[in-house]
Amino acid sequence: MKTLPVSLLLVLFTWTVCVWADRGRQKRAWIMKSFTIEEENPGPFPYILGKIELERSYSVRYVLKGQGVDLEPTGILNIDKEGYVLVYGKVDFEGFKVLKLIFEAINYSNTEVDTRLGVNIKILDINDHAPEFQQTVYQVTVNESEPQGKEVLTVLASDEDDSSTNNGTFDLTIKSFTPKTDNVEFYIQQQKGQKYGTIYFRGCLDYEKAQTYTILVEAKDKGEKIELSSTSTVIINILDGNNNLPGFSGKTGSGKVKERETGVEVLRLQVTDKDTRGSKAWKAKYTIHGDKKEQFKIETDPNTNEGILTVVKQMYYEEQTYQNLSIRVQNGIPYFSCKVKKQVPKLNNSTFQHNSTWELDKIPQNSGTSVENLYNTITVTIYVDVNDPPVFTPSVKHVHIMENIAAGTSLTTFTAKDMDGSHINTFKFVKGEDIDGWITVDAKTGLVSTNKILDRESPFGINGTYRATLYAVDDGVPPLTGTGTLFIHLNDENDNVPMLEVNTVNVCLDTEPTVAN
Ligand SMILES: *[C@@H]1O[C@H](CO)[C@@H](O)[C@H](O)[C@H]1NC(C)=O
Ligand SMILES: *[C@@H]1O[C@H](CO)[C@@H](O)[C@H](O)[C@H]1NC(C)=O
Ligand SMILES: *[C@@H]1O[C@H](CO)[C@@H](O)[C@H](O)[C@H]1NC(C)=O
Ligand SMILES: [Ca+2]
Ligand SMILES: [Ca+2]
Ligand SMILES: [Ca+2]
């Protein structure tokens, strides 16, 4: 009966060699004391790994085959005739964690395999890989209204080294974030042994303080001799929400409305809103309070955000001389507010997972609470103005004319203006004083013509001058009247003076430069 005296001499301490017998007659295994070699051992090559010795009285030839010899990674290992195992090159742990080989001793005389052993060589990892993030840059958008403790983003990294050792496990940390604002702080949480970490924030996001944060996250392995690390950039974009109420900024406290006027702008109210111009969070929404008779409406100017107050029902001075209105402004979308009270952990809130959140003042306290009752108010007084009478421009006219001209000759045209502004063309011209019935007046145009052949010797003229008056009467209740005066100067008919042509008049204006000759 053959015995199998195998002794193994380990020359180098850094390799693990397991040897067992696989011959049918011998089913015993030798588990050798473990030694390790670091991967990527730089040599010099070849170096002796160890020696396999067989106690034989006859001569045998040693053969080594398998991974590292004729299987990948080929050419790394060999055995010499004395049984020394030699190493010819580097081994990469990330490629081969163990090399499986077969050792054979062959009888020189009959070339039969005398002994066959399995040999496993374990490769020991070194820390030659830094953990790497899945992405070098992460981008995420977060609503400004999100509450603290809200998950912002999860990052993932991996380390190719042995993940069962410190060389292949790593910590995720936030190295820095910019800008540093006092309203918010970012932190990362990584479950023990996990490859991913989640970024959260404590405090309040505030678009007005920072629209974008750039966070540098680092993954650093726990290598014993050297620690390897890499970083990734996380860009957090804040989406502006409605955390600013519009506030009245103009000093317009009162307005005026003419009685009986409607559809007229009475007052413009200015507001400022710190949210993004043009956004829903910026757009002002006005409401009127105290307008029992619904005499006003208010609209928002889409460009300036001003409140345009318009009178929609006629007001009468006899009934009221003024009206107080309270005008509220808010935004069309819900409002929220978040202010940091203290940068300290919130205490005794057992249901809260992130025990490192800050103490905050929030509106609404809980999401879902209505915040419709938040607005800014201004009180305005609208005074009712009485109607102004039409005014003649100019109010006095002089006409020089030859006597005996035909009836119906145009003398001059009066013009008048309604000072109320909005009452355009709502007055008519009527004849006032005209003792001898000399003139006619066109109600619409203000054209004054002769009514008959004029006589210089009329008892109603003084030194050949006749005085008449006109009224411009508006349609107010009661109607208001403006008065214009016309002086007609009649000249003696004289053969030496040429007649004026028909329908041509000599007009002198007393307040403006003369335009006629
Ligand atoms: C080796 O071969 C020789 C020659 O054939 C033989 O005599 C010897 O018994 C063999 N040894 C063993 C252990 O089989
Ligand atoms: C980790 O790597 C170092 C070399 O960087 C090595 O010396 C050490 O043995 C490795 N540790 C493990 C547990 O593999
Ligand atoms: C932000 O909020 C709006 C509604 O308020 C929602 O539609 C949108 O999906 C949110 N965006 C993010 C990135 O959470
Ligand atoms: Ca590593
Ligand atoms: Ca490694
Ligand atoms: Ca706003």
Side-chain angles (χ1 to χ4, degrees), residues 391-414:
V391 174
F392 278 90
T393 53
S395 58
V396 178
K397 284 192 173 201
H398 293 269
V399 176
H400 293 266
I401 197 168
M402 300 304 290
E403 63 179 337
N404 296 330
I405 58 163
T409 301
S410 302
L411 294 178
T412 185
T413 299
F414 272 86

PDB file of all heavy atoms in Angstrom, residues 391-414:
ATOM      1  N   VAL A 391     -66.284 125.046 -20.632  1.00  0.00           N
ATOM      2  CA  VAL A 391     -65.610 126.355 -20.647  1.00  0.00           C
ATOM      3  C   VAL A 391     -65.361 126.756 -22.096  1.00  0.00           C
ATOM      4  O   VAL A 391     -64.862 125.949 -22.887  1.00  0.00           O
ATOM      5  CB  VAL A 391     -64.270 126.274 -19.878  1.00  0.00           C
ATOM      6  CG1 VAL A 391     -63.494 127.585 -20.019  1.00  0.00           C
ATOM      7  CG2 VAL A 391     -64.524 125.956 -18.419  1.00  0.00           C
ATOM      8  N   PHE A 392     -65.754 128.008 -22.425  1.00  0.00           N
ATOM      9  CA  PHE A 392     -65.495 128.493 -23.791  1.00  0.00           C
ATOM     10  C   PHE A 392     -64.031 128.842 -23.957  1.00  0.00           C
ATOM     11  O   PHE A 392     -63.420 129.420 -23.059  1.00  0.00           O
ATOM     12  CB  PHE A 392     -66.353 129.737 -24.079  1.00  0.00           C
ATOM     13  CG  PHE A 392     -67.758 129.395 -24.481  1.00  0.00           C
ATOM     14  CD1 PHE A 392     -68.770 129.270 -23.544  1.00  0.00           C
ATOM     15  CD2 PHE A 392     -68.055 129.192 -25.839  1.00  0.00           C
ATOM     16  CE1 PHE A 392     -70.054 128.934 -23.925  1.00  0.00           C
ATOM     17  CE2 PHE A 392     -69.346 128.867 -26.215  1.00  0.00           C
ATOM     18  CZ  PHE A 392     -70.356 128.737 -25.255  1.00  0.00           C
ATOM     19  N   THR A 393     -63.481 128.522 -25.119  1.00  0.00           N
ATOM     20  CA  THR A 393     -62.070 128.860 -25.391  1.00  0.00           C
ATOM     21  C   THR A 393     -61.972 129.536 -26.753  1.00  0.00           C
ATOM     22  O   THR A 393     -62.031 128.839 -27.767  1.00  0.00           O
ATOM     23  CB  THR A 393     -61.217 127.590 -25.373  1.00  0.00           C
ATOM     24  OG1 THR A 393     -61.803 126.643 -26.274  1.00  0.00           O
ATOM     25  CG2 THR A 393     -61.114 126.971 -24.011  1.00  0.00           C
ATOM     26  N   PRO A 394     -61.832 130.815 -26.847  1.00  0.00           N
ATOM     27  CA  PRO A 394     -61.871 131.782 -25.748  1.00  0.00           C
ATOM     28  C   PRO A 394     -63.312 132.104 -25.369  1.00  0.00           C
ATOM     29  O   PRO A 394     -64.243 131.706 -26.072  1.00  0.00           O
ATOM     30  CB  PRO A 394     -61.194 133.008 -26.370  1.00  0.00           C
ATOM     31  CG  PRO A 394     -61.551 132.917 -27.811  1.00  0.00           C
ATOM     32  CD  PRO A 394     -61.591 131.454 -28.149  1.00  0.00           C
ATOM     33  N   SER A 395     -63.444 132.800 -24.317  1.00  0.00           N
ATOM     34  CA  SER A 395     -64.801 133.068 -23.840  1.00  0.00           C
ATOM     35  C   SER A 395     -65.393 134.341 -24.460  1.00  0.00           C
ATOM     36  O   SER A 395     -66.586 134.556 -24.392  1.00  0.00           O
ATOM     37  CB  SER A 395     -64.796 133.179 -22.318  1.00  0.00           C
ATOM     38  OG  SER A 395     -63.903 134.200 -21.921  1.00  0.00           O
ATOM     39  N   VAL A 396     -64.531 135.158 -25.044  1.00  0.00           N
ATOM     40  CA  VAL A 396     -65.033 136.403 -25.671  1.00  0.00           C
ATOM     41  C   VAL A 396     -64.492 136.485 -27.084  1.00  0.00           C
ATOM     42  O   VAL A 396     -63.319 136.201 -27.326  1.00  0.00           O
ATOM     43  CB  VAL A 396     -64.574 137.650 -24.878  1.00  0.00           C
ATOM     44  CG1 VAL A 396     -65.058 138.929 -25.556  1.00  0.00           C
ATOM     45  CG2 VAL A 396     -65.069 137.582 -23.443  1.00  0.00           C
ATOM     46  N   LYS A 397     -65.394 136.830 -28.022  1.00  0.00           N
ATOM     47  CA  LYS A 397     -64.957 137.010 -29.414  1.00  0.00           C
ATOM     48  C   LYS A 397     -65.502 138.315 -29.941  1.00  0.00           C
ATOM     49  O   LYS A 397     -66.595 138.750 -29.563  1.00  0.00           O
ATOM     50  CB  LYS A 397     -65.465 135.852 -30.284  1.00  0.00           C
ATOM     51  CG  LYS A 397     -64.684 134.563 -30.097  1.00  0.00           C
ATOM     52  CD  LYS A 397     -65.054 133.575 -31.184  1.00  0.00           C
ATOM     53  CE  LYS A 397     -64.151 132.351 -31.115  1.00  0.00           C
ATOM     54  NZ  LYS A 397     -64.130 131.652 -32.388  1.00  0.00           N
ATOM     55  N   HIS A 398     -64.708 138.937 -30.800  1.00  0.00           N
ATOM     56  CA  HIS A 398     -65.129 140.181 -31.475  1.00  0.00           C
ATOM     57  C   HIS A 398     -65.196 139.919 -32.963  1.00  0.00           C
ATOM     58  O   HIS A 398     -64.284 139.304 -33.523  1.00  0.00           O
ATOM     59  CB  HIS A 398     -64.113 141.303 -31.207  1.00  0.00           C
ATOM     60  CG  HIS A 398     -64.077 141.721 -29.764  1.00  0.00           C
ATOM     61  ND1 HIS A 398     -64.849 142.732 -29.248  1.00  0.00           N
ATOM     62  CD2 HIS A 398     -63.372 141.221 -28.706  1.00  0.00           C
ATOM     63  CE1 HIS A 398     -64.610 142.869 -27.956  1.00  0.00           C
ATOM     64  NE2 HIS A 398     -63.708 141.941 -27.595  1.00  0.00           N
ATOM     65  N   VAL A 399     -66.270 140.367 -33.581  1.00  0.00           N
ATOM     66  CA  VAL A 399     -66.407 140.227 -35.034  1.00  0.00           C
ATOM     67  C   VAL A 399     -66.617 141.615 -35.622  1.00  0.00           C
ATOM     68  O   VAL A 399     -67.482 142.354 -35.151  1.00  0.00           O
ATOM     69  CB  VAL A 399     -67.595 139.304 -35.384  1.00  0.00           C
ATOM     70  CG1 VAL A 399     -67.783 139.233 -36.882  1.00  0.00           C
ATOM     71  CG2 VAL A 399     -67.385 137.930 -34.801  1.00  0.00           C
ATOM     72  N   HIS A 400     -65.824 141.966 -36.590  1.00  0.00           N
ATOM     73  CA  HIS A 400     -66.003 143.246 -37.309  1.00  0.00           C
ATOM     74  C   HIS A 400     -66.629 142.934 -38.642  1.00  0.00           C
ATOM     75  O   HIS A 400     -66.151 142.065 -39.372  1.00  0.00           O
ATOM     76  CB  HIS A 400     -64.642 143.931 -37.508  1.00  0.00           C
ATOM     77  CG  HIS A 400     -64.032 144.367 -36.208  1.00  0.00           C
ATOM     78  ND1 HIS A 400     -64.184 145.641 -35.679  1.00  0.00           N
ATOM     79  CD2 HIS A 400     -63.284 143.677 -35.299  1.00  0.00           C
ATOM     80  CE1 HIS A 400     -63.551 145.729 -34.530  1.00  0.00           C
ATOM     81  NE2 HIS A 400     -62.987 144.524 -34.270  1.00  0.00           N
ATOM     82  N   ILE A 401     -67.705 143.631 -38.954  1.00  0.00           N
ATOM     83  CA  ILE A 401     -68.461 143.277 -40.152  1.00  0.00           C
ATOM     84  C   ILE A 401     -69.094 144.535 -40.744  1.00  0.00           C
ATOM     85  O   ILE A 401     -69.394 145.484 -40.027  1.00  0.00           O
ATOM     86  CB  ILE A 401     -69.513 142.218 -39.760  1.00  0.00           C
ATOM     87  CG1 ILE A 401     -70.050 141.509 -40.989  1.00  0.00           C
ATOM     88  CG2 ILE A 401     -70.621 142.788 -38.919  1.00  0.00           C
ATOM     89  CD1 ILE A 401     -70.859 140.289 -40.639  1.00  0.00           C
ATOM     90  N   MET A 402     -69.292 144.536 -42.077  1.00  0.00           N
ATOM     91  CA  MET A 402     -69.978 145.651 -42.736  1.00  0.00           C
ATOM     92  C   MET A 402     -71.471 145.467 -42.509  1.00  0.00           C
ATOM     93  O   MET A 402     -71.968 144.336 -42.469  1.00  0.00           O
ATOM     94  CB  MET A 402     -69.700 145.643 -44.250  1.00  0.00           C
ATOM     95  CG  MET A 402     -68.216 145.766 -44.610  1.00  0.00           C
ATOM     96  SD  MET A 402     -67.417 147.238 -43.921  1.00  0.00           S
ATOM     97  CE  MET A 402     -68.214 148.488 -44.930  1.00  0.00           C
ATOM     98  N   GLU A 403     -72.163 146.571 -42.307  1.00  0.00           N
ATOM     99  CA  GLU A 403     -73.615 146.439 -42.142  1.00  0.00           C
ATOM    100  C   GLU A 403     -74.247 146.010 -43.457  1.00  0.00           C
ATOM    101  O   GLU A 403     -73.614 146.005 -44.500  1.00  0.00           O
ATOM    102  CB  GLU A 403     -74.199 147.755 -41.631  1.00  0.00           C
ATOM    103  CG  GLU A 403     -74.033 148.930 -42.578  1.00  0.00           C
ATOM    104  CD  GLU A 403     -74.660 150.199 -42.006  1.00  0.00           C
ATOM    105  OE1 GLU A 403     -75.543 150.085 -41.149  1.00  0.00           O
ATOM    106  OE2 GLU A 403     -74.257 151.280 -42.439  1.00  0.00           O
ATOM    107  N   ASN A 404     -75.468 145.629 -43.386  1.00  0.00           N
ATOM    108  CA  ASN A 404     -76.279 145.241 -44.533  1.00  0.00           C
ATOM    109  C   ASN A 404     -75.834 143.947 -45.222  1.00  0.00           C
ATOM    110  O   ASN A 404     -76.215 143.715 -46.361  1.00  0.00           O
ATOM    111  CB  ASN A 404     -76.321 146.373 -45.576  1.00  0.00           C
ATOM    112  CG  ASN A 404     -77.026 147.606 -44.990  1.00  0.00           C
ATOM    113  OD1 ASN A 404     -77.915 147.464 -44.133  1.00  0.00           O
ATOM    114  ND2 ASN A 404     -76.609 148.791 -45.413  1.00  0.00           N
ATOM    115  N   ILE A 405     -75.013 143.120 -44.585  1.00  0.00           N
ATOM    116  CA  ILE A 405     -74.702 141.837 -45.240  1.00  0.00           C
ATOM    117  C   ILE A 405     -75.896 140.907 -45.099  1.00  0.00           C
ATOM    118  O   ILE A 405     -76.749 141.073 -44.210  1.00  0.00           O
ATOM    119  CB  ILE A 405     -73.437 141.160 -44.669  1.00  0.00           C
ATOM    120  CG1 ILE A 405     -73.593 140.911 -43.154  1.00  0.00           C
ATOM    121  CG2 ILE A 405     -72.182 141.944 -44.986  1.00  0.00           C
ATOM    122  CD1 ILE A 405     -72.609 139.921 -42.626  1.00  0.00           C
ATOM    123  N   ALA A 406     -75.904 139.882 -45.971  1.00  0.00           N
ATOM    124  CA  ALA A 406     -77.079 139.018 -46.083  1.00  0.00           C
ATOM    125  C   ALA A 406     -77.297 138.220 -44.819  1.00  0.00           C
ATOM    126  O   ALA A 406     -76.342 137.872 -44.114  1.00  0.00           O
ATOM    127  CB  ALA A 406     -76.884 138.064 -47.268  1.00  0.00           C
ATOM    128  N   ALA A 407     -78.581 137.949 -44.567  1.00  0.00           N
ATOM    129  CA  ALA A 407     -78.906 137.085 -43.434  1.00  0.00           C
ATOM    130  C   ALA A 407     -78.332 135.696 -43.706  1.00  0.00           C
ATOM    131  O   ALA A 407     -78.285 135.249 -44.849  1.00  0.00           O
ATOM    132  CB  ALA A 407     -80.429 137.014 -43.258  1.00  0.00           C
ATOM    133  N   GLY A 408     -77.867 135.037 -42.643  1.00  0.00           N
ATOM    134  CA  GLY A 408     -77.304 133.675 -42.799  1.00  0.00           C
ATOM    135  C   GLY A 408     -75.803 133.694 -43.004  1.00  0.00           C
ATOM    136  O   GLY A 408     -75.183 132.650 -43.174  1.00  0.00           O
ATOM    137  N   THR A 409     -75.185 134.889 -42.953  1.00  0.00           N
ATOM    138  CA  THR A 409     -73.742 134.960 -43.106  1.00  0.00           C
ATOM    139  C   THR A 409     -73.073 134.415 -41.836  1.00  0.00           C
ATOM    140  O   THR A 409     -73.470 134.748 -40.721  1.00  0.00           O
ATOM    141  CB  THR A 409     -73.311 136.411 -43.326  1.00  0.00           C
ATOM    142  OG1 THR A 409     -73.971 136.890 -44.481  1.00  0.00           O
ATOM    143  CG2 THR A 409     -71.801 136.521 -43.512  1.00  0.00           C
ATOM    144  N   SER A 410     -72.072 133.547 -42.053  1.00  0.00           N
ATOM    145  CA  SER A 410     -71.351 132.999 -40.891  1.00  0.00           C
ATOM    146  C   SER A 410     -70.503 134.085 -40.271  1.00  0.00           C
ATOM    147  O   SER A 410     -69.799 134.810 -40.967  1.00  0.00           O
ATOM    148  CB  SER A 410     -70.431 131.857 -41.342  1.00  0.00           C
ATOM    149  OG  SER A 410     -71.214 130.876 -41.976  1.00  0.00           O
ATOM    150  N   LEU A 411     -70.555 134.186 -38.945  1.00  0.00           N
ATOM    151  CA  LEU A 411     -69.765 135.206 -38.259  1.00  0.00           C
ATOM    152  C   LEU A 411     -68.512 134.606 -37.612  1.00  0.00           C
ATOM    153  O   LEU A 411     -67.411 135.058 -37.841  1.00  0.00           O
ATOM    154  CB  LEU A 411     -70.627 135.887 -37.191  1.00  0.00           C
ATOM    155  CG  LEU A 411     -71.815 136.715 -37.723  1.00  0.00           C
ATOM    156  CD1 LEU A 411     -72.618 137.291 -36.567  1.00  0.00           C
ATOM    157  CD2 LEU A 411     -71.324 137.841 -38.628  1.00  0.00           C
ATOM    158  N   THR A 412     -68.718 133.600 -36.841  1.00  0.00           N
ATOM    159  CA  THR A 412     -67.575 132.957 -36.162  1.00  0.00           C
ATOM    160  C   THR A 412     -68.044 131.631 -35.565  1.00  0.00           C
ATOM    161  O   THR A 412     -69.249 131.388 -35.462  1.00  0.00           O
ATOM    162  CB  THR A 412     -67.006 133.862 -35.051  1.00  0.00           C
ATOM    163  OG1 THR A 412     -65.841 133.237 -34.505  1.00  0.00           O
ATOM    164  CG2 THR A 412     -68.000 134.104 -33.931  1.00  0.00           C
ATOM    165  N   THR A 413     -67.072 130.801 -35.180  1.00  0.00           N
ATOM    166  CA  THR A 413     -67.419 129.520 -34.544  1.00  0.00           C
ATOM    167  C   THR A 413     -66.844 129.512 -33.130  1.00  0.00           C
ATOM    168  O   THR A 413     -65.658 129.758 -32.931  1.00  0.00           O
ATOM    169  CB  THR A 413     -66.840 128.346 -35.347  1.00  0.00           C
ATOM    170  OG1 THR A 413     -67.408 128.382 -36.649  1.00  0.00           O
ATOM    171  CG2 THR A 413     -67.174 127.004 -34.685  1.00  0.00           C
ATOM    172  N   PHE A 414     -67.724 129.280 -32.183  1.00  0.00           N
ATOM    173  CA  PHE A 414     -67.268 129.189 -30.791  1.00  0.00           C
ATOM    174  C   PHE A 414     -66.853 127.747 -30.477  1.00  0.00           C
ATOM    175  O   PHE A 414     -67.431 126.789 -31.001  1.00  0.00           O
ATOM    176  CB  PHE A 414     -68.402 129.618 -29.845  1.00  0.00           C
ATOM    177  CG  PHE A 414     -68.407 131.094 -29.580  1.00  0.00           C
ATOM    178  CD1 PHE A 414     -69.067 131.968 -30.450  1.00  0.00           C
ATOM    179  CD2 PHE A 414     -67.747 131.603 -28.463  1.00  0.00           C
ATOM    180  CE1 PHE A 414     -69.056 133.321 -30.205  1.00  0.00           C
ATOM    181  CE2 PHE A 414     -67.743 132.961 -28.222  1.00  0.00           C
ATOM    182  CZ  PHE A 414     -68.393 133.830 -29.096  1.00  0.00           C
TER     183      PHE A 414
END
